[in-house]
Amino acid sequence: MNAPLAVVTVTYSPGEHLRTFLDSLATATTRPVTVLLADNGSTDGAPEAAERERDNVRLVRTGENIGYGGAANRAVALADSSAEFVMVVNPDVRWSPGSIDELLAAAERWPRAGSLGPLILEPDGSRYPSARRVPDLTSGSLHAVLGSVWPTNPWTRRYRQDTDAVDERPVGWLSGSCLLLRRAAFESVGGFDSRYFMYMEDVDLGDRLGRAGWLNVYVPDAVVTHAKGHAAGRHPESMLPAHHESAYRFQADRHPAPWQAPLRGVLRLGLAVRSRIVVAAALRRRDGADGVPGDDAPHTQVGTGERRER
């Protein structure tokens, strides 16, 4: 447990979030840390400045925006081979003191834990439901349809586990905004599925780890704050369809039989209709708040910022 720790974060013009991330990381663990910035094409100079100013930061350019999972996989592959654990974290996370050490201590208690995740706070201090059940076709569909109009419906509550005790326990999947990964487990399932450009890659990873016999363990004694990106709010016309496409891919992969083709067709049609509805509503909200939309709104972290489940 004294081996170096690799911390991977995927950047896309992260701005001042990255400085806060790195400054707070210094108090998150007593272990030596190497930070790998998997950069998907930043234009703000923040990743370059971080590498220039900090000896433990290494910039890994992906060459283009290859999405969150693909970029994270590339950086993990470059981590020191002696690193038993790898943190994969959004660059808009602020670490609480000792948070990584709490996760590592839990990893000792849970030798079959393939991933471990902290309690995640919203910027206002409220708790984000980052430890959830894996959505099946029924609960996932009903949560998607009813979650925004009837937030307390039983399928959404069961999926989000909002009312469950805040204690250390195995769960279906953990938010990809902050994950401690046992490298052997991560590599045994092939890492993130890079077909998920953004959204649902963490749900998919947690499900595949569970199917392979590993555990996803929620560790609320470890605490981080996630600033949350706003790409979905500024660019709903591209972000929200990507979320629905990922939701379809997740269920289609798990219902691949020829006889399930009609089911997949209904699911795709339903998600396409819902996507159009929520995009139109989001555009109305954006235009009402900002006036006439323009093309110069700054982009935030694509694939790593907004992790609010819909």
Side-chain angles (χ1 to χ4, degrees):
M1 297 295 291
N2 293 319
L5 178 70
V7 175
V8 168
T9 189
V10 180
T11 54
Y12 185 85
S13 297
E16 285 301 310
H17 285 305
L18 183 59
R19 184 175 299 277
T20 299
F21 173 92
L22 294 170
D23 287 346
S24 61
L25 178 60
T27 66
T29 180
T30 58
R31 294 177 61 172
V33 172
T34 298
V35 181
L36 298 169
L37 307 180
D39 189 65
N40 269 344
S42 295
T43 58
D44 65 351
E48 290 82 0
E51 183 184 46
R52 186 170 59 250
E53 296 168 3
R54 302 174 192 254
D55 292 338
N56 68 329
V57 173
R58 176 183 173 190
L59 180 59
V60 179
R61 290 187 172 89
T62 65
E64 58 181 321
N65 192 346
I66 62 174
Y68 180 75
N73 286 345
R74 190 167 298 185
V76 170
L78 295 174
D80 191 300
S81 59
S82 66
E84 181 183 0
F85 294 94
V86 177
M87 292 284 328
V88 176
V89 196
N90 285 18
D92 55 353
V93 158
R94 183 175 73 249
W95 306 90
S96 294
S99 49
I100 291 179
D101 286 341
E102 290 284 358
L103 290 169
L104 290 167
E108 285 193 314
R109 296 191 293 271
W110 298 84
R112 290 301 299 171
S115 74
L116 302 100
L119 185 152
I120 298 175
L121 296 178
E122 302 273 17
D124 64 3
S126 61
R127 178 170 61 93
Y128 176 68
S130 59
R132 306 192 184 190
R133 295 176 183 265
V134 174
D136 58 31
L137 189 59
T138 301
S139 65
S141 299
L142 290 171
H143 161 67
V145 171
L146 299 173
S148 59
V149 296
W150 181 18
T152 59
N153 75 78
W155 300 279
T156 292
R157 292 175 63 189
R158 189 178 304 118
Y159 166 59
R160 290 167 61 96
Q161 297 189 328
D162 279 337
T163 58
D164 285 17
V166 183
D167 55 10
E168 188 170 296
R169 66 187 190 278
V171 297
W173 65 276
L174 296 154
S175 170
S177 60
C178 187
L179 281 177
L180 176 68
L181 297 165
R182 195 179 300 271
R183 196 167 182 179
F186 185 70
E187 293 177 349
S188 74
V189 298
F192 287 107
D193 186 338
S194 59
R195 295 177 303 157
Y196 293 86
F197 181 78
M198 60 193 310
Y199 300 114
M200 298 291 291
E201 70 285 326
D202 45 3
V203 188
D204 173 77
L205 177 66
D207 184 44
R208 287 188 291 114
L209 285 169
R211 290 169 183 259
W214 297 95
L215 298 175
N216 302 288
V217 178
Y218 180 49
V219 187
D221 285 344
V223 180
V224 303
T225 300
H226 187 198
K228 303 280 187 191
H230 300 286
R234 286 176 173 160
H235 304 282
E237 66 281 1
S238 56
M239 302 296 110
L240 294 178
H243 183 276
H244 287 77
E245 180 61 31
S246 291
Y248 172 77
R249 182 181 299 281
F250 180 83
Q251 294 296 348
D253 282 353
R254 285 149 182 84
H255 300 85
W259 65 268
Q260 293 172 317
L263 183 65
R264 294 194 299 272
V266 170
L267 178 63
R268 180 176 281 282
L269 178 61
L271 286 169
V273 171
R274 183 180 186 274
S275 178
R276 291 193 183 98
I277 292 171
V278 298
V279 167
L283 288 172
R284 286 195 299 271
R285 287 195 300 270
R286 185 191 68 180
D287 296 351
D290 301 334
V292 178
D295 294 328
D296 57 346
H299 290 253
T300 58
Q301 185 67 29
V302 173
T304 66
E306 182 68 36
R307 286 198 176 272
R308 297 185 188 277
E309 297 304 315
R310 288 173 162 74

